[in-house]
Amino acid sequence: MIIARTVSQTRKAVKQARKRGKTIGLIPTMGALHKGHISLIKASLKETGFSAVSIFVNPLQFSPNEDFKKYPRKFSADEKLLKKTGVNLLFYPSVDTIYHPNHSVYVEETSLTNFLCGKSRPGHFKGVATVVAKLFNIIQPDIAFFGQKDYQQAQIIKRVTTGLNFPVKIKVMPIIREKDGIAMSSRNAYLNTQERKDALALYQSLKLAEKLAKNGCKDSGIIKRKVRTLIKAKKSARIDYVEITDIETLRPLKQIEDKALLGLAVFIGKTRLIDNTILRTKRHIR
Amino acid sequence: MIIARTVSQTRKAVKQARKRGKTIGLIPTMGALHKGHISLIKASLKETGFSAVSIFVNPLQFSPNEDFKKYPRKFSADEKLLKKTGVNLLFYPSVDTIYHPNHSVYVEETSLTNFLCGKSRPGHFKGVATVVAKLFNIIQPDIAFFGQKDYQQAQIIKRVTTGLNFPVKIKVMPIIREKDGIAMSSRNAYLNTQERKDALALYQSLKLAEKLAKNGCKDSGIIKRKVRTLIKAKKSARIDYVEITDIETLRPLKQIEDKALLGLAVFIGKTRLIDNTILRTKRHIR
C-alpha cells in the first residue's frame, strides 16, 4: 500500500496504475474506519483494479460549533486496517495540502441541500461538495464509493458529479449496522454506555416506520409522530429532525406513494447521529 | 474537424486523441470568433497535439438584464473560420446539453470576484466558473487558453483550477487589438459608427495611464481621474468602473508599487466594453 501525503505523489501512483490498464476506485473517508468503510473498500476491490482510500477530516464541512477538533483521528489503526484489506493507495493529506491559505473556490449544490441535514448544518454540504470535487480531480477515479448512511450526501454528490460532468461513476452501498441495529459511525465512539443504549431508538424507530408503511400507512404525519414518540422516550435523546421525503428531490412528502425516504438526526447527549431507511408502502391492488 | 454536439461524442474524440499520445488543448469561447480567439487557437495548435474549441453562449453568466439573447451567434461563419485554422474538435453543445432542467450545482470563487466586473455583474463569474469546470470535465484538456482581455476572468479561472485541483494548465494570452487600438471583442459588433469612434477612448485612456505610470506617477487617484476625464469627454460613454488594483488579488491600490492592473468597464451607448493594461511605474533607483 502506497501512502501518499501530497497531490503529486498521489497523481503519480494513480497514473502508473492507469498505465497498467487498471480502473481506479476511490473511497473518500474521514478516517476512524469501521465496517461501513470496509464494505465500501470491498466493493471497490471487487469492481476496480486499483483502490484508493483518502483519509481527510475536512474542516470545511464542520461549523465552528461542531466536532472538528474532537473528531476521532486514529491514523495508525486505520493504516493497519487498510493494509490488511489490500487497498493500493492511501491518500492522507494535511489540511494545508488541501486548502491553500488563499483558498477561495467552492462547489455548491443548491437544491437537495435545502432539506434534512442541509437545514441543520448550513455550509456542511458545500464543504463536502468542495472536498469531493478536489478529490475527484486529484485521484481521477472511474468509480467513487459512498455509504447510504449519509443518504443526502450521496445524493448531493451524484448531483455534483453529473452537474459538473465529472467522469466518475458514483456507487452507493448499503448501511452497515452493529448486531443490535445501530448504524456504524465514527461518532458512535463518543457515546457512553447509557447513550449507546438510548441510540438504539434510532434503529428501532426506523423499523417501526418501515412496518407502519408496509402495513399500508401512507400518512407521513402519523409515521413521523410515532417515530418521534419512540425516540423522545429516551432521556438522552433530542431530535434534530425526523423527515419523510421524496427519495430523489428530498422534498418533504405528506403522503407516501410507493417509496419514500425516512431520514432522521438525533442528538444523543452531545453526539449528533443520523440514520435513514427507505419506506415502502403496500402497493395498491388494481 | 470533428463537430461534436454531445458530451459523449466529445469525450470519444478526445479519448482517441489521447490514445494517440496527443496532449489536449482547450479554447472555450462564446463564438462570434475574432482575431483574439484566433490567437488563442494558434497558441493551442502550437503547444498541443489536439486542439478543441468550444462554442457555447453560457446563459448562466448573463444577468436577466444583460445581452444573452442578442449576443452574436454566427455559427456557420465560426465553423468556416475554425476549419481553416486546423482545429481538431469543435464542441458546440445546446443549452440543454450543458444544463439539465434540474441543474443545481455551481462553482464559486469568493475572493477575486469581489472586485471589478464581479461587483458590477453579480453572478457572472459564478456562471463562468461553473461552465469552465464543466468544460474541463467534459474535455479534460492538458492546457486551456484564455485571453488577457478578460483579465479578471483569467485570474478567477486560475484560482478555480488550483482551488479544485483540476489537472489543467491555464495559459493567458495577450490582448489582440484592432489597428487603431480598440480591443477585439464580439460585442464591438453592437457599436454604430459614432460609438465605434468613441470606444477608442478606452484604449487611449489606457495608453495615457501607462505613460503617467512610466513617468513616475504612483498615485492611483490621479491616474484614475485622468482616465475618467478622457473617457467622459465622449458623449456616448458612461463609465461603469475605472480601477487600479493588485495584479493578483485584484484589491484596489491607492499607491502603485512597481506593477498594477488598470481595469475599466465603460458603456458605449448600450454596449458594455472592458479593457485593461498592466501599469509599470519607474523603478526606484537605489
Side-chain angles (χ1 to χ4, degrees):
Chain A
M1 183 176 76
I2 302 159
I3 300 177
R5 300 226 60 192
T6 68
V7 171
S8 61
Q9 277 176 291
T10 307
R11 285 205 170 125
K12 200 178 152 189
V14 173
K15 205 176 169 182
Q16 283 173 350
R18 246 203 220 292
K19 267 193 186 162
R20 299 196 309 274
K22 306 290 187 192
T23 56
I24 314 294
L26 169 65
I27 305 97
T29 82
M30 300 209 300
L33 302 175
H34 51 66
K35 286 177 188 164
H37 300 110
I38 301 302
S39 78
L40 305 180
I41 291 168
K42 283 186 178 161
S44 177
L45 289 167
K46 199 174 157 189
E47 296 192 40
T48 71
F50 184 93
S51 292
V53 171
S54 62
I55 294 183
F56 181 62
V57 185
N58 176 28
L60 208 60
Q61 70 189 68
F62 290 82
S63 298
N65 61 334
E66 290 183 344
D67 58 340
F68 174 67
K69 278 196 178 161
K70 74 163 186 178
Y71 195 87
R73 287 158 173 92
K74 304 180 166 186
F75 183 72
S76 48
D78 290 344
E79 182 189 352
K80 219 166 140 182
L81 189 60
L82 289 175
K83 275 184 178 162
K84 276 192 219 161
T85 61
V87 157
N88 304 87
L89 172 73
L90 167 56
F91 178 47
Y92 178 51
S94 68
V95 171
D96 289 352
T97 293
I98 296 296
Y99 299 113
H100 289 247
N102 65 359
H103 185 85
S104 61
V105 183
Y106 303 93
V107 176
E108 196 164 18
E109 198 284 331
T110 59
S111 175
L112 309 183
T113 300
N114 299 318
F115 308 105
L116 306 170
C117 290
K119 266 162 81 176
S120 319
R121 304 183 70 189
H124 169 65
F125 287 118
K126 190 175 180 174
V128 171
T130 301
V131 82
V132 168
K134 287 170 73 72
L135 291 170
F136 282 4
N137 279 334
I138 292 168
I139 293 169
Q140 297 185 272
D142 299 291
I143 315 179
F145 297 83
F146 295 88
Q148 178 145 350
K149 191 353 220 18
D150 300 287
Y151 187 96
Q152 185 175 19
Q153 170 178 282
Q155 291 300 116
I156 289 172
I157 286 164
K158 280 184 182 176
R159 281 278 183 113
V160 168
T161 304
T162 56
L164 296 182
N165 300 94
F166 279 102
V168 180
K169 191 174 163 185
I170 306 301
K171 281 244 171 179
V172 183
M173 307 303 291
I175 301 177
I176 304 296
R177 299 182 177 281
E178 305 277 6
K179 270 186 190 158
D180 61 2
I182 196 174
M184 297 273 177
S185 165
S186 306
R187 287 188 172 98
N188 291 346
Y190 297 151
L191 303 170
N192 66 31
T193 316
Q194 183 56 49
E195 288 170 344
R196 178 65 183 74
K197 279 181 195 164
D198 288 357
L200 203 52
L202 276 74
Y203 177 66
Q204 287 163 345
S205 74
L206 297 183
K207 285 289 144 192
L208 171 65
E210 283 173 8
K211 199 171 161 189
L212 289 166
K214 203 177 158 190
N215 290 340
C217 179
K218 293 171 176 289
D219 184 323
S220 293
I222 293 173
I223 297 177
K224 288 195 288 184
R225 259 194 308 281
K226 297 209 171 183
V227 164
R228 290 176 158 276
T229 305
L230 195 157
I231 295 171
K232 277 184 184 166
K234 306 295 173 181
K235 215 176 164 185
S236 69
R238 181 169 58 82
I239 292 172
D240 177 2
Y241 67 77
V242 170
E243 197 53 87
I244 293 177
T245 78
D246 183 88
I247 61 166
E248 284 189 0
T249 65
L250 306 187
R251 279 175 205 279
L253 290 176
K254 285 189 176 171
Q255 194 72 11
I256 306 171
E257 301 298 339
D258 195 25
K259 272 202 267 185
L261 172 75
L262 167 60
L264 42 85
V266 178
F267 284 93
I268 301 290
K270 290 184 176 178
T271 304
R272 187 176 179 278
L273 299 177
I274 58 174
D275 207 340
N276 69 80
T277 191
I278 303 294
L279 303 180
R280 289 162 213 274
T281 63
K282 214 190 270 181
R283 292 263 169 96
H284 289 283
I285 295 154
R286 289 178 195 204
Chain B
M1 183 175 77
I2 302 158
I3 300 177
R5 301 226 59 191
T6 68
V7 171
S8 61
Q9 277 176 289
T10 306
R11 285 204 170 125
K12 200 178 153 191
V14 173
K15 204 175 171 183
Q16 283 173 350
R18 247 206 218 293
K19 266 194 187 162
R20 299 197 308 273
K22 306 290 187 192
T23 57
I24 313 295
L26 169 65
I27 305 98
T29 82
M30 300 210 299
L33 303 175
H34 52 65
K35 287 177 187 165
H37 300 110
I38 301 301
S39 78
L40 304 180
I41 291 168
K42 283 187 177 162
S44 177
L45 290 167
K46 199 175 158 189
E47 296 192 39
T48 72
F50 184 93
S51 292
V53 171
S54 62
I55 294 184
F56 181 62
V57 185
N58 176 28
L60 208 59
Q61 70 190 67
F62 290 82
S63 297
N65 61 333
E66 289 182 344
D67 58 341
F68 174 67
K69 278 196 178 162
K70 74 164 184 176
Y71 194 87
R73 288 158 173 92
K74 303 182 167 185
F75 182 72
S76 48
D78 289 345
E79 183 189 351
K80 218 167 140 183
L81 189 60
L82 289 175
K83 275 185 178 162
K84 276 192 220 161
T85 61
V87 157
N88 304 88
L89 173 72
L90 167 55
F91 178 46
Y92 178 52
S94 69
V95 170
D96 289 352
T97 294
I98 296 296
Y99 299 112
H100 289 249
N102 65 359
H103 185 85
S104 62
V105 183
Y106 303 92
V107 176
E108 196 165 17
E109 198 285 333
T110 59
S111 175
L112 309 183
T113 300
N114 298 317
F115 308 105
L116 306 171
C117 290
K119 267 162 79 176
S120 318
R121 304 183 69 189
H124 169 65
F125 287 118
K126 190 176 181 173
V128 170
T130 301
V131 83
V132 168
K134 287 170 73 72
L135 291 170
F136 282 4
N137 279 334
I138 292 168
I139 294 169
Q140 296 184 274
D142 299 290
I143 315 181
F145 297 83
F146 295 89
Q148 178 145 348
K149 175 41 193 2
D150 300 287
Y151 187 97
Q152 185 176 20
Q153 170 178 281
Q155 292 300 116
I156 289 171
I157 286 164
K158 281 183 181 176
R159 282 279 182 112
V160 168
T161 305
T162 56
L164 296 182
N165 301 93
F166 279 102
V168 181
K169 191 174 164 187
I170 305 302
K171 281 244 171 178
V172 183
M173 306 303 291
I175 301 177
I176 304 296
R177 299 182 177 281
E178 305 277 7
K179 270 185 190 158
D180 62 1
I182 196 174
M184 297 273 176
S185 164
S186 306
R187 288 189 171 99
N188 291 346
Y190 296 151
L191 303 171
N192 66 31
T193 316
Q194 183 55 48
E195 288 171 345
R196 178 66 183 71
K197 279 180 195 165
D198 288 358
L200 203 52
L202 276 74
Y203 177 66
Q204 286 163 345
S205 74
L206 297 183
K207 285 289 143 189
L208 171 65
E210 283 173 7
K211 199 171 160 188
L212 288 165
K214 203 177 159 192
N215 289 340
C217 179
K218 293 171 175 291
D219 185 323
S220 294
I222 293 173
I223 297 178
K224 288 195 286 184
R225 259 195 306 282
K226 298 209 170 184
V227 165
R228 289 176 160 276
T229 305
L230 196 157
I231 295 170
K232 276 184 185 166
K234 305 295 172 182
K235 215 174 163 187
S236 69
R238 182 169 58 81
I239 292 172
D240 177 2
Y241 67 78
V242 170
E243 198 53 89
I244 293 176
T245 78
D246 183 88
I247 61 166
E248 284 188 0
T249 66
L250 306 187
R251 278 175 207 279
L253 290 176
K254 285 189 176 171
Q255 195 72 12
I256 306 171
E257 302 298 338
D258 195 23
K259 272 202 267 185
L261 172 74
L262 167 60
L264 44 85
V266 178
F267 284 94
I268 301 290
K270 290 184 174 177
T271 305
R272 187 176 179 279
L273 299 177
I274 57 173
D275 206 341
N276 70 78
T277 191
I278 304 294
L279 303 180
R280 289 161 212 274
T281 61
K282 215 191 269 181
R283 293 260 170 97
H284 289 283
I285 295 153
R286 288 176 195 207

